């Protein structure tokens, strides 16, 4: 390539990088938990239909503000503060309404006259004893707005359904500032908005940490291999520009940075490391003085750099294949990370060409280890594997038998599902909600009538719904129950003078019809619409559960199904579970199937490209066998050590498998390329192999150290992911240093050499 072409390519890189500044200024960091839910499967379609029919966006966007008082809630000072906070929040922009004890009333009708009695007489302490008795005998308020200990009250804040991320952040900041300004013994904020706000902050920190560690770790590896600080500067520039280009593209198409994007710097950094290493190794191979390659030969072979770059391009296939998984966040991650890897290849190639062009006279000084002539150590692990092939075969046979035994005993899916709660370590606010306000896990049950002649305004049908609610409360463990039953009971209480004993279903169908009509003319009309369809054919029961395991939830569902099957025959009612928690429970199942298909698709394409590059079905067969061994070992280890796969760790495992397959292919391609170029000289091949092994030992030692540090984490998901990576590294080392040499030696004979030994 001429000097003008070098300068031209470099100018393009600089120009595009400068243009990236414009869209980067508009880059958004926005985490939406629903973007992690599957798209297009029956459970997702049911949930989308459920949200549309029952208008649940306002419910899932609700924010709970919990106020504690050490002396109990019936203290004038505390109640005045709580009332002041509630009134202030109600005036905030994007707040539709609030529920609070301090601005609620007991409504009643006596002889046709409307009466509204405050739930708590804030300014009249002498009435607190009566208020206390009345309140704690009123389940419609007691079960929803007061903690179990009776020392905390909740303010439920309903924001606008179409509020965006910036407005959510502003509302949350306003509420927290107001709480701090008023001053309470303790205050907690929980809800989807709080979760997303905390996640957005962690995403920013996580992306920066991921970028820093990636540059530090991979830059160190590059320095250990090539001993050049100037080269590290170009490497750092390549990683930063690759990330900048990718983020600018995301911003241009209005795709926000989310949780999975934090992995992107690591993948792009590895891609840059591979490009730098392969180009430098390729060029070094061509200029080793001992083998007499002159500048003319070097100029003639410059085009052959395409071969190693294509081998790096293979690594993008597992990433792009993730787009087969119908999860919004994962599809965006796959698309833009894959494009980012292509950016990395282009940018790093251009930077390396500039580096080599302007440093050519000093280039060979960077690699003193390649100037040494004479004998070098033999390829020990290859010879050891060949000599121990019987032992290796017995070991692999043992893996197969062990896997079959474990699957037959426990089932292949045992290790997929988390046996403990998904959220192991809760924040202080979440822990308080879990202990004092009936849990964090949302519960949603849809009931429907199959007979068009009846509706959920029929009293006998409502009695069955009430029986279901009783079962959910007493046996299933659902609290914070809300349904049309609550509204009908509240209306019946109001029309009977506010007596707590009247908080029951109306005694006649006429009363139910009257109350249903009157409710739709009050402020509670929107609540009725969120829990009962207008035609009365579907009814919603919502509540909260404690954070229990998936196994426990599945057992309770089976018991509930049996109860419903036995008791619903009279009116042919149907029932369906839905809600975000149901979808997250199904997510590992969904991910496993989709990731397996994506990995298979990527593997087949990678094998096809491998055949195109090496023109040998025998080598493709070797790659296939080695990949199967790697997967088999990992499954066996997961089964044997009972490692739990979380949603995130499933994605990590997929990426590990993708990189593992790439390493197997790269191993084959590298040996083929070396043998073709240096058919008369094994010394360079051996030296390169020894250097690579020394570097790989360093890499694995560092990774093992990081993973062992992660094992000490308080978060079980982090611990399980660290164990997953450790065992994968062990499996990968076994495949590369035992299985591959054995397969290569047994199946590939080029007529002159047999893997490190002259025939």
């Amino acid at each position: 390539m001429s000097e003008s072409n070098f300068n031209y390519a470099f100018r393009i890189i600089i120009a595009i990088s400068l243009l990236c500044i414009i869209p980067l200024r508009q880059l958004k960091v926005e985490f939406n938990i629903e973007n992690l839910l599957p798209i297009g499967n029956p459970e997702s379609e049911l949930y989308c239909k459920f949200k549309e029919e029952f208008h649940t966006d306002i419910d899932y966007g609700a924010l709970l503000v919990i106020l504690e008082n050490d002396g109990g809630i019936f203290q004038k000072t505390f109640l005045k503060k709580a009332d002041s906070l509630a009134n202030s929040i109600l005036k905030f922009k994007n707040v539709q309404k609030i529920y609070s004890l301090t601005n609620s009333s007991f409504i009643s009708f006596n002889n046709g006259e409307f009466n509204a009695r405050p739930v708590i007489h804030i300014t009249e302490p002498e009435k607190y004893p009566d208020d206390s008795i009345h309140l704690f005998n009123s389940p419609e308020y007691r079960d929803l707005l007061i903690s179990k200990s009776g020392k905390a009250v909740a303010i439920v804040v309903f924001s606008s359904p179409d509020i965006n991320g910036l407005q959510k952040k502003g509302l949350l900041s306003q509420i927290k500032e107001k709480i701090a300004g008023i001053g309470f013994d303790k205050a907690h904020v929980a809800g989807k908005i709080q979760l997303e706000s905390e996640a957005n902050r962690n995403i920013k920190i996580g992306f920066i940490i991921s970028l820093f560690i990636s540059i530090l770790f991979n830059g160190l590896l590059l320095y250990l291999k090539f001993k050049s600080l100037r080269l590290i500067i170009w490497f750092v520039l390549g990683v930063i520009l690759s990330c900048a280009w990718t983020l600018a593209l995301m911003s241009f198409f209005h795709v926000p940075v989310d949780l999975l994007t934090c992995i992107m710097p690591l993948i792009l950094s590895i891609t840059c490391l591979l490009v730098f290493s392969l180009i430098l190794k390729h060029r070094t191979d061509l200029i080793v003085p001992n083998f007499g390659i002159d500048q003319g030969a070097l100029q003639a072979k410059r085009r052959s750099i395409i071969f190693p770059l294509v081998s790096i391009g293979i690594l993008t296939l597992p990433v792009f294949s993730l787009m087969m998984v119908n999860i919004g966040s994962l599809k965006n991650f796959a698309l833009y990370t894959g494009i980012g890897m292509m950016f990395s290849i282009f940018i790093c190639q251009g930077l390396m060409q500039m580096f080599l062009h302007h440093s050519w006279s000093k280039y060979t000084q960077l690699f003193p280890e390649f100037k040494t002539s004479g004998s070098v150590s033999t390829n020990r692990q290859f010879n050891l594997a060949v000599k121990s092939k019987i032992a290796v075969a017995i070991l692999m046979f043992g893996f197969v038998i062990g896997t079959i035994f474990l699957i037959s005993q426990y089932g292949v899916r045992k290790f997929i599902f988390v046996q403990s709660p998904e959220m192991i370590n809760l924040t202080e606010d979440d822990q308080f909600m879990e202990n004092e306000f009936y849990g964090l896990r949302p519960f949603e049950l849809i009931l429907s009538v199959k007979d068009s002649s009846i509706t959920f305004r029929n009293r006998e049908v409502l009695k069955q719904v009430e029986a279901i609610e009783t079962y959910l409360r007493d046996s299933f463990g659902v609290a914070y129950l809300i349904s049309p039953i609550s509204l009908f009971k509240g209306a019946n209480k109001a029309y009977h003078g506010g007596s707590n004993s009247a908080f029951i279903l109306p005694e006649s169908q006429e009363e139910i019809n009257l109350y249903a009509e009157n409710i739709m003319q009050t402020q509670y009309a929107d609540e009725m619409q969120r829990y009962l369809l207008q035609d009365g054919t579907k009814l919603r029961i919502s509540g909260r559960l404690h954070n229990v395991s998936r196994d426990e939830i599945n057992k309770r569902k089976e018991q509930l199904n049996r109860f419903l099957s036995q008791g619903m025959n009279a009116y042919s009612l149907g029932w369906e579970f839905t809600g975000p928690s149901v979808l997250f429970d199904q997510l590992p199942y969904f991910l496993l199937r989709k990731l397996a298909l994506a990995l298979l698709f990527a593997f087949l394409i990678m094998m096809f490209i491998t055949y195109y590059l090496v023109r040998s079905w025998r080598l493709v067969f070797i790659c296939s066998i080695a990949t199967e061994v790697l997967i088999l070992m990992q499954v066996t280890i997961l089964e044997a050590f009972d490692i739990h796969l979380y949603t995130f760790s499933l994605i990590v495992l997929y990426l590990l498998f993708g990189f593992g397959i790439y390493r197997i292919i790269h191993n084959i391609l590298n040996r083929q390329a070396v043998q073709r170029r240096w058919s008369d000289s094994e010394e360079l091949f051996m030296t390169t192999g020894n250097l690579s092994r020394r570097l790989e030992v360093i890499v694995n030692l560092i990774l093992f150290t990081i993973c062992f540090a992660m094992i000490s984490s308080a978060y079980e998901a982090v611990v399980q992911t660290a164990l997953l990576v450790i065992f994968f590294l062990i499996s990968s080392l076994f495949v590369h240093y035992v299985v591959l040499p054995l397969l290569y030696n047994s199946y590939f004979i080029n007529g002159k050499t047999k893997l490190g030994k002259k025939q």
Side-chain angles (χ1 to χ4, degrees):
M1 188 180 292
S2 64
E3 183 174 356
S4 61
N5 289 336
F6 283 130
N7 293 331
Y8 184 69
F10 187 73
R11 287 172 183 173
I12 290 177
I13 293 174
I14 295 300
I16 295 177
S17 301
L18 291 175
L19 288 175
C20 287
I21 297 175
I22 299 174
L24 280 175
R25 296 172 61 185
Q26 307 298 324
L27 184 66
K28 293 182 179 179
V29 177
E30 186 172 346
F31 172 73
N32 188 339
I33 194 169
E34 293 191 1
N35 286 341
L36 294 173
L37 299 177
I39 301 172
N41 67 330
E43 291 84 1
S44 300
E45 291 177 354
L46 173 64
Y47 176 58
C48 292
K49 185 178 180 181
F50 162 75
K51 289 200 302 179
E52 182 180 352
E53 290 180 335
F54 290 99
H55 312 286
T56 61
D57 287 342
I58 188 171
D59 294 320
Y60 291 140
L63 196 64
L64 269 72
V65 179
I66 313 297
L67 307 174
E68 286 190 74
N69 190 55
D70 295 336
I73 64 173
F74 285 98
Q75 284 188 353
K76 183 177 180 180
T77 304
F78 169 74
L79 289 173
K80 290 182 69 174
K81 289 181 179 180
D83 185 49
S84 174
L85 177 63
N87 292 330
S88 298
I89 293 176
L90 190 58
K91 296 176 183 177
F92 289 159
K93 188 178 179 180
N94 297 312
V95 173
Q96 282 194 348
K97 63 180 180 179
I98 66 169
Y99 289 159
S100 172
L101 288 177
T102 59
N103 63 3
S104 298
S105 300
F106 291 113
I107 297 173
S108 62
F109 296 91
N110 293 316
N111 298 322
E113 183 181 348
F114 174 81
N115 293 292
R117 176 186 181 276
V119 173
I120 299 178
H121 295 80
I122 299 172
T123 59
E124 301 177 71
E126 65 276 7
K127 294 184 178 180
Y128 286 174
D130 289 339
D131 290 343
S132 175
I133 296 172
H134 206 59
L135 177 60
F136 282 92
N137 286 322
S138 303
E140 68 270 33
Y141 290 109
R142 180 196 65 214
D143 294 344
L144 302 183
L145 299 176
I146 301 178
S147 66
K148 294 179 182 178
S149 64
K151 294 184 177 182
V153 296
I155 300 175
V156 185
V157 182
F158 294 95
S159 60
S160 303
D162 56 349
I163 187 173
N164 60 38
L166 188 61
Q167 291 170 331
K168 290 177 183 178
K169 181 180 178 181
L171 176 60
L172 194 62
S173 299
Q174 281 183 300
I175 292 175
K176 290 184 175 180
E177 289 175 4
K178 195 65 180 178
I179 291 173
I182 294 177
F184 293 92
D185 290 347
K186 283 185 180 179
H188 310 274
V189 180
K192 183 182 176 184
I193 294 179
Q194 169 68 10
L195 173 65
E196 292 177 349
S197 176
E198 187 69 20
N200 289 339
R201 186 179 68 85
N202 291 334
I203 287 170
K204 294 177 183 178
I205 298 173
F207 188 89
I208 295 172
I209 293 175
S210 176
L211 179 62
F212 175 77
I213 292 177
S214 300
I215 291 176
L216 181 65
F217 179 69
N218 292 308
L220 176 62
L221 297 181
L222 200 62
Y223 178 78
L224 291 174
K225 188 170 185 178
F226 297 107
K227 304 296 191 301
S228 172
L229 289 175
R230 185 165 51 178
L231 180 66
I232 303 305
I233 295 175
W234 287 87
F235 167 75
V236 172
L237 180 62
V239 176
I240 293 176
L241 290 182
S242 299
C243 292
W245 284 27
T246 307
L247 293 176
L249 186 67
M250 293 174 63
S251 178
F252 182 80
F253 287 101
H254 306 289
V255 177
V257 174
D258 62 7
L259 194 61
L260 289 176
T261 313
C262 294
I263 310 176
M264 185 187 294
L266 177 61
I267 297 176
L268 299 187
S269 178
I270 291 174
T271 306
C272 292
L273 175 66
L274 292 173
V275 174
F276 273 64
S277 300
L278 285 180
I279 292 178
L280 286 173
K281 179 182 178 302
H282 176 79
R283 290 304 176 89
T284 305
D285 292 349
L286 295 177
I287 64 170
V288 174
N290 293 353
F291 298 106
I293 303 299
D294 57 16
Q295 291 294 323
L298 177 64
Q299 186 69 24
K301 290 193 174 184
R302 274 178 175 169
R303 290 183 177 273
S304 63
I305 191 65
I306 296 175
F307 186 85
L309 290 178
V310 170
S311 72
I312 297 176
I314 294 175
L315 187 57
T316 64
L317 289 173
V319 177
F320 277 122
S321 297
L322 279 173
M323 293 182 67
M324 296 174 61
V325 183
N326 290 329
I327 296 177
S329 181
L330 197 56
K331 289 170 76 74
N332 287 334
F333 167 77
L335 175 62
Y336 289 99
T337 302
I339 294 174
M341 294 172 71
M342 298 173 69
F343 284 159
S344 299
I345 295 173
F346 172 76
I347 292 171
C348 292
Q349 183 190 10
L351 294 178
M352 280 303 302
Q353 297 290 359
M354 291 295 298
F355 171 75
L356 296 178
H357 179 71
H358 291 290
S359 307
W360 194 254
S361 60
K362 300 180 181 180
Y363 178 60
T364 56
Q365 300 176 11
L366 297 176
F367 311 100
E369 63 270 25
F370 284 99
K371 297 181 180 180
T372 305
S373 62
S375 61
V376 293
S377 61
T378 60
N379 210 332
R380 293 188 180 93
Q381 92 278 358
F382 274 63
N383 292 329
L384 179 62
V386 172
K387 291 178 181 179
S388 308
K389 55 187 175 184
I390 296 178
V392 173
I394 294 174
L395 181 61
M396 293 311 304
F397 181 75
F399 269 116
V400 174
I401 297 300
T403 302
I404 294 174
F405 172 76
L406 289 169
I407 291 175
S408 65
Q409 291 293 315
Y410 303 107
V412 71
R413 293 186 173 184
K414 177 185 74 69
F415 64 86
I416 297 169
F417 307 106
V418 181
Q419 305 301 317
S420 52
E422 186 76 49
M423 188 185 295
I424 301 300
N425 295 77
L426 306 176
T427 65
E428 182 181 354
D429 293 345
D430 293 334
Q431 191 64 59
F432 187 83
M433 284 287 298
E434 183 75 12
N435 295 335
E436 292 289 336
F437 279 89
Y438 313 105
L440 291 166
R441 181 189 176 99
F443 174 87
E444 298 286 355
L445 180 66
I446 304 173
L447 298 178
S448 59
V449 292
K450 298 179 180 179
D451 186 350
S452 58
S453 64
I454 61 174
T455 69
F456 282 107
R457 293 187 179 91
N458 182 296
R459 186 176 184 278
E460 295 304 315
V461 178
L462 287 175
K463 286 177 65 177
Q464 284 201 341
V465 175
E466 185 179 27
I468 294 172
E469 285 195 0
T470 302
Y471 178 88
L472 291 174
R473 183 183 300 107
D474 297 340
S475 300
F476 203 99
V478 183
Y480 209 88
L481 277 168
I482 304 177
S483 76
I485 298 293
S486 307
L487 295 174
F488 283 122
K489 287 182 176 180
N492 191 64
K493 176 180 176 179
Y495 277 92
H496 286 78
S499 171
N500 289 324
S501 61
F503 191 72
I504 57 174
L505 270 179
E507 296 182 353
S508 68
Q509 184 64 50
E510 290 75 16
E511 287 179 312
I512 289 179
N513 296 337
L514 173 65
Y515 299 162
E517 181 180 350
N518 290 345
I519 288 173
M520 296 304 295
Q521 298 175 8
T522 67
Q523 60 180 330
Y524 300 104
D526 64 328
E527 289 194 28
M528 180 65 83
Q529 292 173 343
R530 297 206 311 272
Y531 289 93
L532 181 64
L533 295 191
Q534 189 172 2
D535 60 5
T537 57
K538 287 186 180 181
L539 177 145
R540 168 192 174 198
I541 300 176
S542 69
R544 287 207 199 101
L545 282 167
H546 286 292
N547 198 33
V548 297
S549 70
R550 290 191 180 104
D551 278 355
E552 179 61 28
I553 289 295
N554 290 334
K555 290 178 183 177
R556 295 183 189 182
K557 283 183 179 179
E558 291 176 3
Q559 295 172 355
L560 179 59
N561 283 330
R562 286 196 294 268
F563 172 79
L564 295 175
S565 299
Q566 295 169 1
M568 294 295 102
N569 293 330
Y571 294 97
S572 300
L573 299 184
W575 62 89
E576 292 174 301
F577 296 98
T578 189
S581 59
V582 173
L583 293 182
F584 278 114
D585 284 346
Q586 298 297 324
L587 191 55
Y589 292 93
F590 177 83
L591 269 180
L592 177 70
R593 295 192 299 268
K594 295 297 183 179
L595 291 179
L597 290 174
L599 187 63
L600 177 61
F601 174 78
F603 172 74
L604 293 175
I605 300 298
M606 293 165 81
M607 291 299 102
F608 176 79
I609 296 176
T610 302
Y611 173 77
Y612 177 78
L613 294 175
V614 301
R615 305 289 180 171
S616 171
W617 286 114
R618 186 170 292 177
L619 287 178
V620 173
F621 179 73
I622 289 175
C623 291
S624 303
I625 294 298
T627 301
E628 291 172 9
V629 171
L630 180 64
I631 295 175
L632 181 66
M633 289 186 64
Q634 197 66 16
V635 171
T636 305
I637 291 171
L638 289 171
E639 290 276 8
F641 290 91
D642 195 27
I643 296 177
H644 304 150
L645 291 186
Y646 292 75
T647 301
F648 180 76
S649 56
L650 269 171
I651 299 173
V652 170
L653 181 61
Y654 172 89
L655 294 174
L656 288 174
F657 275 136
F659 188 72
I661 296 171
Y662 165 77
R663 285 193 62 202
I664 293 171
I665 295 174
H666 175 68
N667 190 306
I668 299 296
L669 294 179
N670 186 53
R671 296 186 187 284
Q672 281 293 95
V674 170
Q675 287 186 351
R676 287 176 180 174
R677 281 206 306 270
W678 304 103
S679 57
D680 297 329
S681 303
E682 266 191 354
E683 286 80 0
L684 178 63
F685 170 68
M686 297 301 181
T687 305
T688 305
N690 291 332
L691 289 171
S692 299
R693 286 195 297 276
R694 289 200 297 271
L695 186 63
E696 187 159 6
V697 168
I698 296 173
V699 171
N700 283 282
L701 284 176
I702 295 175
L703 288 176
F704 276 128
T705 303
I706 294 173
C707 290
F708 278 117
M710 290 169 61
I711 290 177
S712 62
S713 171
Y715 292 90
E716 184 174 333
V718 175
V719 174
Q720 299 289 343
T721 303
L723 289 173
L724 185 70
V725 175
I726 289 173
F727 285 122
F728 184 87
L729 291 174
I730 295 172
S731 303
S732 181
L733 288 173
F734 179 80
V735 168
H736 281 276
Y737 290 113
V738 178
V739 177
L740 259 182
L742 184 63
L743 291 172
Y744 203 89
N745 186 81
S746 301
Y747 292 101
F748 182 73
I749 301 175
N750 63 7
K752 290 185 178 181
T753 23
K754 186 179 180 181
L755 259 175
K757 297 202 298 185
K758 296 282 187 183
Q759 283 190 320

